[in-house]
Amino acid sequence: MSVNVTLSNLSEPVGFRPETLETLWSQIPPGLRTVTWNSPDIPEEFAEGFTRPAGRAPGRRFTLDFAGLPPVVARELTWCAWQFIAIGAKVPVPTFQSLVRRLNDAFGDMPQAQAPVSLLERTPQWWYRTLAATRARRTGELPALSTQRALERVLRRCYQMLWWACDEQPWWHRETWGLRLDPRIPRRPHEPQGAGRISFHSVHPFWLRRGLQWYLKVHLETGELTWSTARSRRGGIGFFGDYLEQQPVPGPWLCDDAAALRAFMLDYRSHLCQVPARGGPNRGQPLSQLRITDLITDVEQFYVFMHDNQETAARALDEPGWLRLGPHHTVLWRRSDKKRPRVRPDLQYVIGDGELSQIMANIELLGRPEGEGGLGDPQVMHILMLLTRTGRRISEIVMLDRDPLLPLNRPTRAPEDEGAFVAKLRYQQTKIDKAPDTILVDTEIVAIIQAQQQWVDEHRAADWVPGTQPKYLFLARKLNRRADRPLTVEVVRDKLTEFAARLDIRDEAGHLVDFNRTHRFRHTKATSLLNAGVPLHVVQRYFGHLSRPC
């Protein structure tokens, strides 16, 4: 019998299965399938998968000895250490050594009859408290906060790995979804938000939580939704769940009287007008009209699907309440309730020539080392260069292949001519199916790509598994020993936020230019092409749209 729990609110242990541990143990390579790891004995192919204590040379020896722990716990931690290497991370040797010592002390202080056989027989919180209490009892003082947090991070990661390996329920039943944690979750070959997770434990009531999980599961499996859109849809319906917690709803049908549903949904829309934004530039301010329309549309689309599939949903979810949905649940709001605001002409969707010149004049600040007054991130510098010159979406830039340039079928003007096209740039088309995924580029863009390739080879290759061929042009800094994970959009935006604050560039009206909103570079490029006389349908194709000329 599986147990549906989450690490964030875990109050009951997951449970230990000896047969599962045997399977996990067999997954460890023979050279590491032992509870005592001595660095000289570690196979060469895994030698770079370990961190070293601060200040020690890479060649210094180390030992990870789990043998003193109870046999099951020793094997569990050995498997977890191997998993660090398997997912492309490095085993944090000093923290693991400290964790083993603390666990040995804790087990030494427990009566044998009360000692857990497996880490999974207790909750993470129980282990945190036990390790801290043992330390205090033996030394007379609590452990340093930084040390305690480091131990908890590693223990939490290990617990999570074991939890996912031992939990045998269908993937969509789990209340935390992660592409890196579960290979069964459908995904595209290139997923811009592949590092993100979807958590459901805070969605209430329970029938809505399970219904949402099933709804997203079906859409992911059929390809109707991508992982990125599923994350957004979960967030939108989460607002509705927060509202339902405050209302005496009878079940999925929401109202016993069909005529009352209209008033109920209008009340929800009015409620959203009072909800503050949880993030973004308007954080703390009332939600925008556009955001409210998106949120109620998410709920309506959910109910349309559940109505159209109510019999299947009732069986899959063991919830007969879905059978009470009627046609009135497919039109929760009238068209007039879902108006999208007209674009205001005073909003700055395009970066002016003067501001753009200032950005480009100072762009080397991004790549300059921190010790020399820069921000120390050449990757983000190259990304910003490509954003301004190509107008691609930021997700398309960060997910460029390692070698994204294709030769032209036939030459255009001579390469030395200004603006002559010399190659095609292939990008990941993650927005529109069957839309164009290449653009023509000149020598300037080619030079930027070559500079990024050279920088990666010189500064990152030492961290890779020997023989690795990078998958992407821009690479994530952590958990990436196989060089198969792209730099995330969130990392780029954080660095651009710091860059914007450093430059303090303002427009003619004195307003701060927030070029961290990277889509503005796309609008700016489109505007420059149109002003140059490029036909609209050509611009649309350039930007990866399928629109045809009238």
Side-chain angles (χ1 to χ4, degrees), residues 127-139:
W127 286 109
Y128 303 157
R129 293 193 300 269
T130 298
L131 295 184
T134 301
R135 174 70 174 178
R137 187 165 52 249
R138 289 190 169 225
T139 66

Side-chain angles (χ1 to χ4, degrees), residues 421-436:
F421 297 129
V422 298
K424 287 183 179 179
L425 175 66
R426 181 184 62 242
Y427 56 91
Q428 315 301 346
Q429 177 54 269
T430 59
K431 184 81 171 178
I432 305 172
D433 290 340
K434 299 181 181 179

Side-chain angles (χ1 to χ4, degrees), residues 134-170:
T134 301
R135 174 70 174 178
R137 187 165 52 249
R138 289 190 169 225
T139 66
E141 58 185 17
L142 290 172
L145 184 59
S146 59
T147 302
Q148 185 69 13
R149 286 177 175 173
L151 291 175
E152 289 181 2
R153 281 195 299 269
V154 170
L155 183 56
R156 185 180 184 84
R157 177 73 64 84
C158 291
Y159 200 99
Q160 185 180 62
M161 291 172 175
L162 290 166
W163 172 52
W164 278 73
C166 294
D167 184 14
E168 298 175 349
Q169 62 185 325

Side-chain angles (χ1 to χ4, degrees), residues 254-428:
L254 300 176
C255 296
D256 291 326
D257 181 4
L261 184 62
R262 164 73 174 160
F264 182 85
M265 302 315 291
L266 284 178
D267 285 344
Y268 173 58
R269 192 187 184 289
S270 298
H271 164 76
L272 289 177
C273 294
Q274 311 301 320
V275 174
R278 299 174 180 176
N282 298 322
R283 184 172 185 175
Q285 301 298 316
L287 295 174
S288 67
Q289 179 61 56
L290 180 61
R291 178 60 172 153
I292 291 174
T293 298
D294 286 341
L295 291 175
I296 64 176
T297 301
D298 286 345
V299 174
E300 188 168 68
Q301 290 178 346
F302 169 69
Y303 264 90
V304 168
F305 177 82
M306 299 303 282
H307 169 268
D308 293 346
N309 299 272
Q310 56 185 287
E311 293 184 0
T312 307
R315 287 195 301 269
L317 302 171
D318 193 24
E319 173 52 75
W322 293 112
L323 296 173
R324 298 188 60 173
L325 300 188
H328 52 290
H329 287 96
T330 64
V331 186
L332 298 177
W333 290 276
R334 296 173 183 170
R335 186 173 182 179
S336 59
D337 299 328
K338 298 181 289 184
K339 289 183 178 179
R340 292 187 173 271
R342 302 180 67 177
V343 176
R344 288 166 43 196
D346 59 317
L347 290 179
Q348 295 297 316
Y349 289 103
V350 175
I351 299 175
D353 292 340
E355 295 81 47
L356 187 59
S357 296
Q358 287 181 278
I359 292 171
M360 300 312 296
N362 293 278
I363 200 169
E364 58 85 26
L365 182 67
L366 275 167
R368 190 191 308 163
E370 293 182 358
E372 299 175 13
L375 300 179
D377 204 323
Q379 289 204 110
V380 177
M381 179 183 70
H382 293 147
I383 287 172
L384 185 55
M385 287 179 174
L386 292 176
L387 281 173
T388 58
R389 286 167 171 80
T390 67
R392 307 323 307 167
R393 299 179 180 90
I394 188 170
S395 61
E396 296 168 350
I397 294 295
V398 298
M399 301 191 73
L400 286 173
D401 292 335
R402 158 68 182 196
D403 189 1
L405 297 174
L406 301 174
L408 292 178
N409 294 330
R410 62 175 182 268
T412 56
R413 293 176 291 170
E416 59 269 16
D417 292 348
E418 184 178 355
F421 297 129
V422 298
K424 287 183 179 179
L425 175 66
R426 181 184 62 242
Y427 56 91
Q428 315 301 346

Side-chain angles (χ1 to χ4, degrees), residues 88-195:
K90 288 191 175 185
V91 179
V93 172
T95 307
F96 256 96
Q97 290 171 331
S98 296
L99 177 60
V100 171
R101 287 195 298 270
R102 297 286 181 86
L103 285 170
N104 273 316
D105 291 344
F107 278 106
D109 289 355
M110 296 179 195
Q112 188 172 0
Q114 299 177 11
V117 174
S118 162
L119 288 174
L120 296 180
E121 289 189 350
R122 299 291 187 272
T123 66
Q125 290 74 17
W126 186 90
W127 286 109
Y128 303 157
R129 293 193 300 269
T130 298
L131 295 184
T134 301
R135 174 70 174 178
R137 187 165 52 249
R138 289 190 169 225
T139 66
E141 58 185 17
L142 290 172
L145 184 59
S146 59
T147 302
Q148 185 69 13
R149 286 177 175 173
L151 291 175
E152 289 181 2
R153 281 195 299 269
V154 170
L155 183 56
R156 185 180 184 84
R157 177 73 64 84
C158 291
Y159 200 99
Q160 185 180 62
M161 291 172 175
L162 290 166
W163 172 52
W164 278 73
C166 294
D167 184 14
E168 298 175 349
Q169 62 185 325
W171 67 264
W172 66 274
H173 282 194
R174 292 175 171 173
E175 296 190 355
T176 299
W177 296 358
L179 298 185
R180 294 181 179 177
L181 294 172
D182 196 332
R184 299 175 299 173
I185 301 176
R187 84 271 324 266
R188 296 175 286 181
H190 303 279
E191 180 51 64
Q193 297 185 22

